[in-house]
Amino acid sequence: MKKLKSRLDAYSDAVIAIIMTIMVLDLTPVLKDSWPAYLSLAKEVGIYGISFALVANMWYQHATAFEEIEDMTYRIMVYDFLFLAVLSLTPLATNMMASNTTRTTVMAYGILNLLLSFTFRLLAKAIVHFQYTDKSQMRQVYGKIYGAQNPLFMIWTAVLLVIAWFWPFIAVWFYLSYPVRDLLFT
Amino acid sequence: MKKLKSRLDAYSDAVIAIIMTIMVLDLTPVLKDSWPAYLSLAKEVGIYGISFALVANMWYQHATAFEEIEDMTYRIMVYDFLFLAVLSLTPLATNMMASNTTRTTVMAYGILNLLLSFTFRLLAKAIVHFQYTDKSQMRQVYGKIYGAQNPLFMIWTAVLLVIAWFWPFIAVWFYLSYPVRDLLFT
Amino acid sequence: MKKLKSRLDAYSDAVIAIIMTIMVLDLTPVLKDSWPAYLSLAKEVGIYGISFALVANMWYQHATAFEEIEDMTYRIMVYDFLFLAVLSLTPLATNMMASNTTRTTVMAYGILNLLLSFTFRLLAKAIVHFQYTDKSQMRQVYGKIYGAQNPLFMIWTAVLLVIAWFWPFIAVWFYLSYPVRDLLFT
Amino acid sequence: MKKLKSRLDAYSDAVIAIIMTIMVLDLTPVLKDSWPAYLSLAKEVGIYGISFALVANMWYQHATAFEEIEDMTYRIMVYDFLFLAVLSLTPLATNMMASNTTRTTVMAYGILNLLLSFTFRLLAKAIVHFQYTDKSQMRQVYGKIYGAQNPLFMIWTAVLLVIAWFWPFIAVWFYLSYPVRDLLFT
């Protein structure tokens, strides 16, 4: 499946590029001077920027993972599609959480975020196990893909969900600031 | 037409990537807490997931078929465009069938589905006949493209159309479950 | 500019793929059984199919022309962008002409069509003159790009504009049938 | 990061292609003969053309800059995403400025334009410093990327912002005419 692998690479990149850029269509142009409208547009642009950073980030991790292999399995392809499907929903969830910060929307975003981590981990694991058998090599590759990510990351993600349930207005700031921070300071 | 063939490969992939991802724009964000709105969004997301799986599936079959050849004919290109045109209409038909399950919409989906199978078969046949002359080799390649598809598949597709006419509420479940099942259990 | 040339190839293809597929967003899903709504959707699908064929056709001619060269000039790039800009407007013009067939819309389509031919000819000429100096070779390449196009094509295009002015309801049929005919019977 | 670099090239091009073409969705088709509607569409098409030219221009400069390198750093990637994020907002800003020419919209466009120049310069500088150490070589490469751009360009851009504040109706003509002029007469 070598030919298919390089084709899936280009295909996934096209899908990610569309996810990243299509959100610009949701910005409502202000066609009559009105400060509330400008402020609301500014907020939309901010949310757009955060989604943009999140998708950019995932593109980088995704490309770094697939760089490891030159061939693939059907299973890797299915995991890739799962990951892309979840990723394509994040701009919508970010928008909903930022426009209407309630327990429901923040929890929904949190769960989607968890699903995104989970599907990406599934994908990364399938890729690494396809290529390597040596444990120490595997660790090195995971390091490349995830960067200097905290080992407590998964626990923290779960804790954040609990915060989202009880104090959605606090959790939203963590969720909104992560993508930009991750992109700029990896 | 070798250069044109590899260009058509990339072009078709771009078109399929757009078909797959553009549907996300049809999801209506919930901007005010309301359970009926959340449920309706959840339903939309489900339909989106099914369309996503269907397109992912067709991408795989399409890429597997084109992997067989390194050159092509004008006829193969025309069949490819026909296939892409029909494929681009499936998300719309899925949406209409799932939002408003009536004889008309289920039959329309069924017919589109038949057309999709038909145009893809036309394409696959043209590709295989362009490359191979030996019957047993042809069979092997068809096996690769279609997977372990039931030989009675075409008959079943026709029967399903009859079911769609008399019991649209039964047919819709078959139609909605197939894409996900095909992608996960090939 | 060799690297830039192959990049422009991929870039133009991406733009054409988007032009071709984005139109599917303009189809209005029928969410409540109503025959007038289904008929109007069927009409929209027909127009979509015609635009799809027109863009497919131009993709083929465009790819065939660029296949001739491995390098390019800044001027060729500018002509390519001009061609893409005009092409991106054809789905809109087709839609307007088919939904509301009046002298204005048919003339507008006709003029856009003329502009499309003109910008493509500009592009093709720049490509051919960049690569060849021999007249007979040039003729051969033009034959490849345009197919067995009538030498009176340009005159006919002008005559059609006159028909569009006096009898828009006749001209519209020529304009709507050409893309499909061109794609299928080249 | 060599593999990632060529992947980022294709990815950026896909994003730019989407930015360029997606704007066509904002054009409102005229479905009932009405001269004011046609005039307003003509204005929209003009604005679309200007955005198209601006994006085409940036594609060229962007591709020329990345042609210089075969490898990259994480920082170059981040600058590239910053540049793409700003670029993706220009069609919206152009639209707002042209539809509703007031001090606010013209200033907003001017600032975005400044940001676009700035992020691109950041990117170009990172690329050039990654590849070259010799000052005279650097100058030559900058010349290739920016063309025969006036050395006073940055000062002029700042002056234009002042004009936008006091006489937005004058600044708008400079802003609208630049992209086309830059593309055609470089």
Side-chain angles (χ1 to χ4, degrees):
Chain A
M1 297 179 89
K2 282 199 182 185
K3 270 194 236 164
L4 213 61
K5 194 267 169 182
S6 66
R7 223 173 145 162
L8 184 66
D9 276 359
Y11 184 77
S12 308
D13 276 10
V15 170
I16 302 175
I18 299 164
I19 295 172
M20 193 186 218
T21 324
I22 224 170
M23 303 172 290
V24 93
L25 284 174
D26 282 335
L27 303 174
T28 25
V30 180
L31 300 177
K32 246 190 180 172
D33 259 21
S34 128
W35 280 100
Y38 285 127
L39 277 180
S40 134
L41 176 60
K43 198 182 166 190
E44 282 180 22
V45 168
I47 298 168
Y48 169 71
I50 290 166
S51 291
F52 201 94
L54 186 145
V55 178
N57 229 358
M58 292 315 305
W59 177 82
Y60 173 68
Q61 290 195 15
H62 181 271
T64 307
F66 270 94
E67 211 181 290
E68 290 299 320
I69 49 175
E70 292 192 336
D71 199 354
M72 65 164 189
T73 59
Y74 186 83
R75 180 192 293 266
I76 289 177
M77 187 191 81
V78 172
Y79 288 166
D80 192 36
F81 283 131
L82 266 175
F83 164 73
L84 291 174
V86 175
L87 183 66
S88 70
L89 295 171
T90 50
L92 182 86
T94 309
N95 183 11
M96 279 170 58
M97 175 176 67
S99 314
N100 171 38
T101 309
T102 67
R103 179 183 290 173
T104 318
T105 56
V106 180
M107 284 295 292
Y109 182 90
I111 290 167
L112 194 74
N113 214 30
L114 208 69
L115 265 174
L116 189 65
S117 297
F118 178 71
T119 51
F120 184 70
R121 259 154 215 277
L122 220 62
L123 179 61
K125 205 179 155 193
I127 286 172
V128 169
H129 280 251
F130 176 71
Q131 188 70 7
Y132 302 98
T133 46
D134 183 58
K135 288 267 168 192
S136 73
Q137 268 185 314
M138 284 184 184
R139 248 195 308 277
Q140 209 185 323
V141 175
Y142 281 126
K144 239 202 273 179
I145 298 173
Y146 293 111
Q149 211 175 56
N150 202 304
L152 301 170
F153 179 77
M154 286 308 266
I155 298 168
W156 171 231
T157 306
V159 169
L160 209 49
L161 262 187
V162 177
I163 298 178
W165 181 265
F166 291 106
W167 307 280
F169 277 92
I170 296 174
V172 69
W173 290 111
F174 285 104
Y175 283 134
L176 291 180
S177 62
Y178 276 173
V180 175
R181 202 209 51 176
D182 280 0
L183 186 63
L184 296 185
F185 309 109
T186 302
Chain B
M1 297 177 90
K2 281 200 182 185
K3 270 195 233 164
L4 212 63
K5 194 265 169 183
S6 66
R7 225 172 143 161
L8 184 67
D9 277 358
Y11 184 77
S12 308
D13 277 9
V15 170
I16 301 175
I18 299 163
I19 294 173
M20 194 186 217
T21 324
I22 224 171
M23 303 172 289
V24 95
L25 284 174
D26 281 335
L27 303 174
T28 26
V30 180
L31 300 177
K32 247 190 180 172
D33 259 21
S34 129
W35 280 101
Y38 286 127
L39 278 179
S40 134
L41 176 60
K43 198 182 165 190
E44 282 179 22
V45 169
I47 298 169
Y48 170 69
I50 290 165
S51 292
F52 201 94
L54 187 146
V55 178
N57 229 356
M58 292 316 305
W59 177 82
Y60 173 69
Q61 291 195 14
H62 181 271
T64 308
F66 270 93
E67 212 181 288
E68 290 298 321
I69 49 175
E70 292 193 334
D71 198 355
M72 63 164 190
T73 59
Y74 187 82
R75 179 192 293 264
I76 289 178
M77 187 191 81
V78 172
Y79 287 166
D80 192 37
F81 282 132
L82 265 176
F83 164 74
L84 291 173
V86 174
L87 183 65
S88 71
L89 295 172
T90 51
L92 181 86
T94 310
N95 183 10
M96 279 170 57
M97 174 175 67
S99 313
N100 172 37
T101 310
T102 66
R103 179 182 291 174
T104 317
T105 55
V106 180
M107 283 296 293
Y109 183 89
I111 290 167
L112 195 73
N113 215 29
L114 208 69
L115 265 173
L116 190 65
S117 298
F118 178 71
T119 51
F120 184 70
R121 259 154 216 275
L122 220 63
L123 179 61
K125 204 179 155 192
I127 287 172
V128 169
H129 280 250
F130 176 70
Q131 189 69 7
Y132 302 98
T133 45
D134 183 58
K135 288 267 166 191
S136 74
Q137 267 185 314
M138 283 184 184
R139 249 195 309 276
Q140 210 185 320
V141 175
Y142 281 126
K144 239 202 273 179
I145 298 173
Y146 293 111
Q149 213 176 53
N150 203 306
L152 301 170
F153 179 78
M154 288 307 269
I155 298 168
W156 171 232
T157 306
V159 170
L160 209 48
L161 262 186
V162 177
I163 299 179
W165 181 266
F166 291 105
W167 307 279
F169 278 92
I170 296 175
V172 71
W173 290 111
F174 284 104
Y175 284 134
L176 291 179
S177 63
Y178 276 172
V180 176
R181 203 207 50 175
D182 281 359
L183 186 63
L184 297 185
F185 308 109
T186 301
Chain C
M1 296 178 89
K2 281 200 182 185
K3 271 196 235 165
L4 212 63
K5 194 265 169 182
S6 67
R7 225 173 143 160
L8 184 67
D9 276 358
Y11 184 77
S12 308
D13 276 9
V15 170
I16 301 176
I18 299 163
I19 295 172
M20 193 188 218
T21 324
I22 224 171
M23 303 172 288
V24 94
L25 284 173
D26 282 335
L27 303 174
T28 26
V30 180
L31 300 176
K32 247 190 179 173
D33 259 20
S34 127
W35 280 101
Y38 286 127
L39 278 179
S40 132
L41 176 61
K43 198 182 167 189
E44 282 180 21
V45 169
I47 297 168
Y48 169 69
I50 290 166
S51 291
F52 201 94
L54 186 146
V55 179
N57 229 357
M58 292 315 304
W59 177 81
Y60 173 68
Q61 290 196 12
H62 181 270
T64 307
F66 271 93
E67 212 180 289
E68 291 299 321
I69 49 175
E70 292 192 335
D71 198 356
M72 63 164 192
T73 58
Y74 187 82
R75 178 193 293 264
I76 289 177
M77 189 191 81
V78 172
Y79 288 165
D80 193 35
F81 283 132
L82 265 175
F83 164 73
L84 291 173
V86 175
L87 183 66
S88 71
L89 295 172
T90 50
L92 181 87
T94 309
N95 183 11
M96 279 171 58
M97 174 175 67
S99 313
N100 172 37
T101 310
T102 65
R103 178 182 290 175
T104 316
T105 55
V106 180
M107 285 295 292
Y109 183 90
I111 289 167
L112 195 73
N113 215 29
L114 207 70
L115 265 174
L116 190 65
S117 298
F118 178 71
T119 50
F120 184 70
R121 258 153 215 277
L122 220 62
L123 179 61
K125 204 179 157 192
I127 287 172
V128 169
H129 280 251
F130 176 69
Q131 189 69 7
Y132 302 98
T133 44
D134 183 58
K135 288 267 168 191
S136 74
Q137 267 185 314
M138 284 186 184
R139 248 195 309 276
Q140 210 185 322
V141 175
Y142 280 127
K144 242 202 270 180
I145 298 173
Y146 293 111
Q149 214 176 54
N150 202 307
L152 301 170
F153 179 78
M154 288 307 268
I155 298 168
W156 171 232
T157 305
V159 170
L160 209 48
L161 263 186
V162 177
I163 298 178
W165 181 266
F166 290 106
W167 308 279
F169 278 92
I170 295 175
V172 70
W173 290 112
F174 283 105
Y175 283 133
L176 291 180
S177 63
Y178 276 172
V180 176
R181 203 207 51 176
D182 280 0
L183 186 62
L184 297 185
F185 307 110
T186 302
Chain D
M1 297 178 91
K2 282 200 182 185
K3 271 195 235 165
L4 213 61
K5 194 266 168 183
S6 66
R7 225 174 142 160
L8 184 66
D9 277 358
Y11 185 76
S12 309
D13 277 8
V15 170
I16 301 175
I18 299 163
I19 295 172
M20 192 186 219
T21 324
I22 225 171
M23 303 172 290
V24 93
L25 284 174
D26 282 336
L27 303 175
T28 26
V30 180
L31 300 176
K32 246 189 182 173
D33 259 21
S34 128
W35 280 100
Y38 286 127
L39 277 180
S40 133
L41 175 61
K43 197 181 168 191
E44 283 180 22
V45 168
I47 298 167
Y48 169 70
I50 290 165
S51 292
F52 201 95
L54 186 147
V55 178
N57 229 357
M58 293 314 305
W59 177 82
Y60 173 68
Q61 290 195 15
H62 181 270
T64 307
F66 271 94
E67 212 181 290
E68 290 299 321
I69 50 176
E70 293 192 336
D71 199 354
M72 62 163 190
T73 59
Y74 187 81
R75 179 192 293 265
I76 289 177
M77 189 191 79
V78 172
Y79 287 166
D80 192 35
F81 282 132
L82 266 176
F83 163 73
L84 290 174
V86 175
L87 183 65
S88 70
L89 295 172
T90 49
L92 182 86
T94 309
N95 182 11
M96 279 171 58
M97 173 175 68
S99 314
N100 172 37
T101 310
T102 66
R103 179 183 289 174
T104 317
T105 55
V106 180
M107 284 295 292
Y109 182 89
I111 290 167
L112 194 74
N113 214 30
L114 207 68
L115 265 174
L116 189 66
S117 297
F118 178 71
T119 52
F120 184 70
R121 258 154 216 278
L122 220 62
L123 179 61
K125 204 179 157 192
I127 286 171
V128 168
H129 281 250
F130 175 70
Q131 190 67 8
Y132 302 99
T133 45
D134 183 59
K135 287 270 170 192
S136 74
Q137 266 185 316
M138 284 186 184
R139 246 195 310 276
Q140 208 184 323
V141 175
Y142 281 127
K144 240 203 272 181
I145 297 173
Y146 294 111
Q149 214 175 53
N150 202 307
L152 301 170
F153 179 78
M154 287 307 267
I155 298 169
W156 171 232
T157 305
V159 170
L160 209 48
L161 263 187
V162 177
I163 299 179
W165 181 265
F166 290 106
W167 308 279
F169 278 92
I170 294 174
V172 71
W173 289 110
F174 283 104
Y175 283 134
L176 291 180
S177 63
Y178 276 172
V180 176
R181 202 208 51 176
D182 280 359
L183 186 64
L184 297 185
F185 308 109
T186 302

